[in-house]
Amino acid sequence: MAPPRCLCAICTCGRHRCPHKPTRIYDNGQQPCLTTEYVEKYPKYSNISPARSLKPKQEYQVHRGKMEGITTFKSDYLPYDTMRRPFRVQEEYKPKTGERELGTTYQKDYNAHKIQPVTLVRPLERKHTMGGKLDTIPTYQDDYRSWEVQRREPSKVDHIYHPPTEKFGNSTTFQDDFAPRELNPRQSYKPPCVAKLSDVPFDSTTSHRTSYIAHQLAPKFVKSKEEYRPNNQPFEDLTTHRNDFKGLAGPLAKSCKPENAKVISNAHFNGVTEFQDRFQPWLVSLPEVRKTKEYIPPLGSMDFNSTSHLDYVKHEISPAVPIRPISNTRITNAPFQGNTTMKEDFKAWDICQQEIIKKQQEIPKPTGKFYDLTTFKSHYIPHQIIPVQSFKPVHVILPNLAHFQDETMYRTEYTLKKQEICPANYPSPPGYVYINTDSHGHKFFRQLTPEFSELNSNQIPKEVAVVS
């Protein structure tokens, strides 16, 4: 039995719709309705025009006022008389006399403290061992059951290509309608791109050549090289490490490595593993051995002398004596002294950020009126511009006396088809029986089978109203 269909679904032209009623929230129809409460209750306004755009048009607006050649730089800038910066003569270097004090505030103010070695807080290592054998079955292996699955046969149909026997000889509309004609290129009126030489001699004088005045430079100050004077005092090579270090022998570091305790069991060792139980040996063929070719020595005697062996001269050289000192390891039981010169002498001090030193401005600001006449303004000569004559040909359509062929493939191959009448255009659609109307206003009809179409033709109600 065919499912019921709405009048909107029976329509084939797209112009017939069911009359919609106000929506009901708690009523579920047989088909969803696309209308909403907002669409039904929204008031329509017909005499209101859309909002006018205030965006300005992108058009070039010509300024009709007179342009003045005065800029903000010309009006605000005041020229000043500049003075030449005085040359600073470099002073001669004179070394300071006297001895240098190498003492620091760390050595004077820092108080040394006795420090004891830090005790370890690391807990002892505990081992949890169990002597029982682990024999468990995972949940995946216990719950999973393998099934015998048969392979599904493919349902693909083999399409075998059969080439056509007749030759393709259909010509296109372009080949039938196009007639090749000889092309007549137009004459070019473009002037030749050749540079015009001037008869006036080239004036190479510039403002730099006319205004530049060469001045003689002062001799450069050269510092005389100071003669090296060796010091008469002997070199004092005593460092703070040699002065402060006391060779006290400390105890050796204790090893934190755990003891290597062997796990001994009296049970009999079973050498059977899961891999040995489940592994099935397979017969494997031995690899094919490839026979090597027999070595045939070359004929004649071989000369083993080389250029290095013939030209090398052997010299008697004594072995190098090692300079490494002999290590004298001393083991003492005295405690290790961890004090260093850095710990004894260093002390943190509060540091304040130094203020920025600003240099005073030496060049004074200029005064007076600015003379804005440039070389371009003084040497420029305006000339009258003569527009260039256009040699572009006039765009005129040439008439053609040949007959225009307006036949197309659509006109020659189009076949007129019969227009079908929409079944929803009738008061009662033929072949359908009215059932009911839901709360949304949709009218449902059921399509009749060919056997009962003639018997139930008289039972179709004639009062069905169709709204188009």
Side-chain angles (χ1 to χ4, degrees):
M1 193 172 184
R5 299 179 64 187
C6 178
L7 188 66
C8 305
I10 297 174
C11 177
T12 57
C13 63
R15 295 181 297 174
H16 299 88
R17 293 290 183 271
C18 297
H20 292 268
K21 297 179 180 180
T23 54
R24 297 174 65 182
I25 301 174
Y26 302 100
D27 188 6
N28 296 327
Q30 297 181 2
Q31 289 186 356
C33 183
L34 300 178
T35 58
T36 59
E37 186 178 358
Y38 176 77
V39 176
E40 294 175 354
K41 295 184 178 181
Y42 182 77
K44 297 181 180 179
Y45 302 95
S46 58
N47 297 328
I48 297 176
S49 59
R52 187 178 180 184
S53 177
L54 300 177
K55 185 178 180 182
K57 297 182 180 179
Q58 295 182 357
E59 296 179 355
Y60 176 71
Q61 298 179 0
V62 182
H63 184 68
R64 302 184 182 276
K66 186 179 179 181
M67 182 178 179
E68 297 181 359
I70 301 174
T71 61
T72 55
F73 181 79
K74 292 181 181 180
S75 59
D76 299 341
Y77 182 73
L78 301 176
Y80 298 96
D81 296 335
T82 58
M83 300 293 291
R84 189 174 181 181
R85 191 173 183 179
F87 180 74
R88 184 179 178 183
V89 182
Q90 191 173 3
E91 297 178 357
E92 186 180 359
Y93 173 73
K94 295 180 181 180
K96 296 181 180 180
T97 58
E99 296 182 357
R100 187 176 181 182
E101 186 179 358
L102 301 176
T104 60
T105 54
Y106 298 123
Q107 296 179 359
K108 295 180 180 179
D109 301 339
Y110 184 74
N111 299 325
H113 300 278
K114 293 183 180 180
I115 300 174
Q116 296 180 359
V118 181
T119 56
L120 297 176
V121 198
R122 185 178 180 182
L124 299 175
E125 185 179 1
R126 298 179 182 179
K127 294 184 178 180
H128 302 277
T129 56
M130 298 180 68
K133 185 179 179 181
L134 183 64
D135 188 8
T136 58
I137 300 174
T139 56
Y140 180 80
Q141 185 178 357
D142 190 17
D143 299 340
Y144 181 72
R145 299 291 185 270
S146 58
W147 298 84
E148 295 180 359
V149 181
Q150 297 180 357
R151 187 175 181 180
R152 186 179 298 177
E153 296 181 356
S155 58
K156 186 179 179 180
V157 181
D158 297 335
H159 296 282
I160 302 173
Y161 173 71
H162 298 283
T165 56
E166 299 180 356
K167 186 179 180 181
F168 181 77
N170 296 336
S171 60
T172 61
T173 56
F174 181 78
Q175 294 176 356
D176 296 340
D177 300 340
F178 180 73
R181 296 178 183 179
E182 186 178 357
L183 296 176
N184 295 325
R186 294 181 179 180
Q187 185 180 359
S188 177
Y189 292 95
K190 185 178 181 181
C193 185
V194 180
K196 295 181 181 180
L197 300 177
S198 178
D199 299 334
V200 182
F202 178 69
D203 186 10
S204 61
T205 57
T206 60
S207 59
H208 179 75
R209 292 183 180 180
T210 55
S211 304
Y212 179 72
I213 301 172
H215 298 276
Q216 189 176 2
L217 297 176
K220 188 177 180 181
F221 175 76
V222 180
K223 184 180 179 181
S224 59
K225 189 175 181 180
E226 189 176 346
E227 186 180 357
Y228 174 71
R229 298 176 182 177
N231 195 355
N232 299 327
Q233 300 294 331
F235 179 69
E236 186 179 351
D237 58 346
L238 184 63
T239 61
T240 55
H241 181 75
R242 291 183 181 181
N243 189 19
D244 300 338
F245 180 71
K246 301 176 182 179
L248 300 178
L252 297 176
K254 295 182 180 180
S255 177
C256 300
K257 184 178 180 181
E259 297 180 359
N260 190 7
K262 297 182 180 180
V263 180
I264 302 173
S265 178
N266 298 327
H268 180 69
F269 176 69
N270 188 9
V272 181
T273 60
E274 184 180 1
F275 180 78
Q276 294 179 359
D277 293 342
R278 298 189 179 185
F279 179 72
Q280 298 179 2
W282 296 86
L283 296 176
V284 182
S285 60
L286 296 175
E288 184 179 356
V289 181
R290 185 177 181 182
K291 295 182 179 180
T292 58
K293 296 181 180 180
E294 187 178 358
Y295 174 72
I296 301 174
L299 301 176
S301 60
M302 185 174 180
D303 188 9
F304 291 96
N305 294 327
S306 61
T307 56
S308 176
H309 183 71
L310 295 175
D311 299 340
Y312 180 72
V313 180
K314 188 175 181 181
H315 300 278
E316 294 181 359
I317 301 173
S318 59
V321 181
I323 313 176
R324 185 178 180 183
I326 301 172
S327 60
N328 297 325
T329 56
R330 293 179 298 175
I331 301 173
T332 59
N333 297 327
F336 176 71
Q337 185 180 4
N339 296 334
T340 60
T341 55
M342 180 72 179
K343 291 182 179 179
E344 293 176 358
D345 299 337
F346 180 74
K347 187 176 182 181
W349 296 85
D350 296 335
I351 300 173
C352 298
Q353 188 175 1
Q354 189 177 2
E355 296 180 359
I356 300 173
I357 301 173
K358 293 184 178 180
K359 193 174 182 181
Q360 296 181 358
Q361 190 175 4
E362 296 180 2
I363 302 174
K365 294 184 178 180
T367 58
K369 188 177 181 181
F370 177 70
Y371 185 68
D372 59 344
L373 183 63
T374 60
T375 54
F376 180 81
K377 290 183 178 180
S378 60
H379 296 133
Y380 178 72
I381 302 172
H383 299 278
Q384 188 177 2
I385 300 173
I386 302 173
V388 183
Q389 184 180 0
S390 177
F391 293 94
K392 185 177 179 182
V394 183
H395 185 68
V396 180
I397 300 174
L398 300 177
N400 191 0
L401 302 177
H403 181 67
F404 178 72
Q405 296 181 0
D406 57 346
E407 294 182 0
T408 59
M409 297 176 61
Y410 181 81
R411 292 185 179 182
T412 56
E413 298 180 4
Y414 177 75
T415 55
L416 187 63
K417 297 181 180 179
K418 185 180 179 181
Q419 296 182 356
E420 298 180 358
I421 302 174
C422 181
N425 197 18
Y426 296 95
S428 177
Y432 289 88
V433 179
Y434 173 75
I435 300 177
N436 60 350
T437 304
D438 63 351
S439 59
H440 296 292
H442 294 277
K443 295 183 178 182
F444 292 94
F445 297 86
R446 180 176 283 111
Q447 189 177 7
L448 298 176
T449 57
E451 300 176 358
F452 298 98
S453 59
E454 297 179 359
L455 297 175
N456 297 334
S457 60
N458 297 327
Q459 299 178 5
I460 297 176
K462 297 182 180 180
E463 291 80 13
V464 178
V466 179
V467 178
S468 60

